[in-house]
Amino acid sequence: MTLTDLAIVGVGKIARDQHLPAIRDGGQFRLAATVSRSGGVEGVENFDTLAALLQARPEIGVISFCTPPQVRYDAARAALEAGRHVMLEKPPGASLSEVRDLADLAQANGLTLYATWHSRQADGVAGARAWLADKRVRSVRIDWKEDVRVWHPGQVWIWQAGGLGVFDPAINAFSILTAILPVPVHVTGAELRFPSNCETPIAAEVVFAGPDGLTAVADLDFLYEGDPLWTMRVETDAGMLTLSQGGAVLDIAGATEGEGWGDTPGIHGEYPKLYSQMHDLLQAKASEVDLRPMTLVADAFMLGRRFEVAPFTDPTLEKDQ
Ligand code: NAP
């Protein structure tokens, strides 16, 4: 198969941990260049700015954005205006309206825009969706808890407006929730706990409702030590379905499927599927932009009662916010 030239913008934690291996091993794309302020990838041409890349490398047809959400929009818009297909890390932007604008621009120019949700590619998610399709869901309980100092060391942007705080991981849960439930849910209330020195919450509880008395609650915590707890329990008229380990393990009424993460908690096998999906979208000349997970987060911010909690400190940050 001929490899499609692709560039990565923002060579940070997720680019190095997941995107680079997925591109290297996937057999669909070739990493043709990077845009990085910190040097990029050894052996691959690097540009200081996206504008320089767009001008110098017109043959690179796909740009994959791995930067924090607050700096995505202008660059993604520039890439689309330059006729390039675009892939966005989650969350796809810092606001709903900017992502809608990108989707409209892609459609108007006949380009592919793929707003990725990596957690939807976890091993148990498709099976959960299939099983739930004809069930009546009564309630959902989400526990999405991890230690921010372990999973996001030194990431100042996560504590700045638009960085989402604890909703940066929680939006992964919401991406699974909206993918597997056979009916829609909406946020009815939230409690958001903001450290006194941060612009985004460090913990939250979000309450949802859906048709026929469906209720859901999400308990989110960014100061949870030990292995992360990324679990969703769905109570139905036909028994309990549980997704654990971020969606990697599926348990239906006591029957468990999925290898899970073994000794290494984290993301496994999700990014190769994202690049396969991008390849399929390019072939089909289609886009995929599902804003439901981000809408739930936005609604939690709109409806949430705000509480101030102790300041957040992280030795890996140069200074406290
Ligand atoms: P990160 O390592 O803190 O930042 C990513 C890279 O973006 C940085 O290394 C830098 O790359 C560039 N960058 C950072 N701040 C920038 C700014 N103000 N202006 C321009 N470029 C900037 O973050 P990350 O953990 O990789 O997360 C990036 C995105 O991936 C987020 O949306 C996050 O939600 C998502 N994600 C992260 C994880 C995870 O486990 N960390 C998992 C899944 C998804 P250069 O130095 O190359 O310029």
Side-chain angles (χ1 to χ4, degrees), residues 294-317:
M294 202 167 157
T295 302
L296 294 176
V297 172
D299 286 353
F301 275 93
M302 287 177 77
L303 289 170
R305 294 166 62 218
R306 182 187 172 120
F307 299 86
E308 188 170 295
V309 297
F312 173 72
T313 55
D314 180 347
T316 62
L317 294 176

Side-chain angles (χ1 to χ4, degrees), residues 225-247:
E225 294 182 5
D227 285 355
L229 185 63
W230 296 327
T231 300
M232 189 173 304
R233 292 207 307 276
V234 184
E235 186 203 358
T236 78
D237 56 351
M240 184 74 83
L241 176 149
T242 304
L243 277 169
S244 54
Q245 301 191 15

Side-chain angles (χ1 to χ4, degrees), residues 22 114 121-124 268-278:
Y114 181 21
Q121 306 296 338
D123 283 347
H268 296 286
E270 299 171 17
Y271 279 77
K273 295 185 202 163
L274 293 183
Y275 279 96
S276 288
Q277 175 67 356
M278 182 65 183

Side-chain angles (χ1 to χ4, degrees), residues 11-14 36-38 72 89-90 155 157 168 271:
V11 185
K13 185 171 189 325
I14 197 60
S36 170
R37 307 161 311 166
S38 57
R72 275 293 168 67
E89 251 300 348
K90 50 69 39 171
Q155 296 187 347
W157 60 265
D168 175 79
Y271 279 77

Side-chain angles (χ1 to χ4, degrees), residues 113-129:
L113 178 67
Y114 181 21
T116 64
W117 297 110
H118 67 85
S119 291
R120 286 185 174 174
Q121 306 296 338
D123 283 347
V125 172
R129 176 171 47 233

